[in-house]
Amino acid sequence: PVQYQASDSMVYDAGHKKVYLYGNSNVKYQNMDITSERIYMNLDSNLVHATGAYKDSTSKKAEGTPVFKMGSDEYESDTMAFNFKTKKGLISNAYTKQQEGFMRSQLSKRDSSGVIYMQHGRYTTCDAPNPDFYIALSRAKVRPGKDVVFGPAYLVVADVPLPLAIPYGFFPFTKSYS
């Protein structure tokens, strides 16, 4: 069973088996939890779409953006789509913390085993919204709690890319030295 609630309003379209949640909305299914300002669910295809809401027409930042939790993993994003049955998802502008590092990406895909494939990402140990330094990743594969494997990357300091390219790399997420 899928549990869902909304603080403002909820519209159920019985003919098309769709649910629209407005306000501080929440959807729970097994160990998956999505919280967002607006959520749209298609009960036939088991798809959930979550987005934030613009409170003011002049503001450029959405409020109540989606927060996705599954087990110990937590991701913040601008928009997301997730399938309950296959446990696959598509996330835009994702943000997550892995051990002591912080990951951001423009586009991320999550497969059924929990592995995340990122495009145009950045990895840093600085928790500021605009970090002073980071490694810009063109592509990366994140196994939450285990490691990050990435393709072509380069170091960026104070928003200036350094001319040092890294063809591929690996960051382990362990609490002990190896």
Side-chain angles (χ1 to χ4, degrees):
V2 178
Q3 299 174 356
Y4 50 91
Q5 64 182 12
S7 64
D8 183 27
S9 61
M10 177 171 48
V11 177
Y12 178 66
D13 183 0
H16 296 102
K17 294 189 179 177
K18 295 179 182 177
V19 178
Y20 301 90
L21 306 169
Y22 300 98
N24 188 12
S25 307
N26 187 309
V27 174
K28 292 181 182 180
Y29 179 74
Q30 295 175 348
N31 66 342
M32 186 267 323
D33 187 4
I34 296 176
T35 304
S36 182
E37 187 66 24
R38 293 185 180 163
I39 297 178
Y40 153 73
M41 284 193 312
N42 188 337
L43 301 176
D44 276 342
S45 63
N46 301 309
L47 231 80
V48 174
H49 295 275
T51 61
Y54 293 96
K55 299 289 183 182
D56 186 3
S57 62
T58 61
S59 72
K60 304 248 189 260
K61 181 152 174 63
E63 296 178 12
T65 55
V67 176
F68 174 82
K69 295 178 187 175
M70 184 168 242
S72 63
D73 301 333
E74 183 174 327
Y75 306 96
E76 297 175 20
S77 67
D78 286 349
T79 61
M80 69 175 5
F82 185 76
N83 190 315
F84 292 130
K85 296 289 183 191
T86 62
K87 297 193 170 146
K88 293 180 181 180
L90 182 65
I91 307 168
S92 67
N93 293 324
Y95 174 77
T96 185
K97 180 180 180 193
Q98 295 290 325
Q99 297 293 344
E100 299 299 319
F102 299 91
M103 302 280 303
R104 288 188 183 273
S105 74
Q106 286 182 359
L107 187 64
S108 303
K109 290 183 182 179
R110 182 188 188 281
D111 69 6
S112 58
S113 63
V115 175
I116 298 171
Y117 300 93
M118 302 175 116
Q119 184 178 21
H120 303 295
R122 54 170 77 165
Y123 177 82
T124 184
T125 55
C126 178
D127 62 348
N130 262 339
D132 296 330
F133 61 92
Y134 59 89
I135 296 178
L137 314 170
S138 61
R139 291 180 303 239
K141 177 180 176 181
V142 180
R143 296 188 310 170
K146 294 180 183 176
D147 58 19
V148 174
V149 179
F150 57 90
Y154 54 92
L155 183 63
V156 177
V157 178
D159 289 333
V160 177
L162 299 179
L164 174 65
I166 305 167
Y168 59 89
F170 170 81
F171 293 123
F173 296 132
T174 60
K175 293 184 180 182
S176 62
Y177 292 105
S178 59

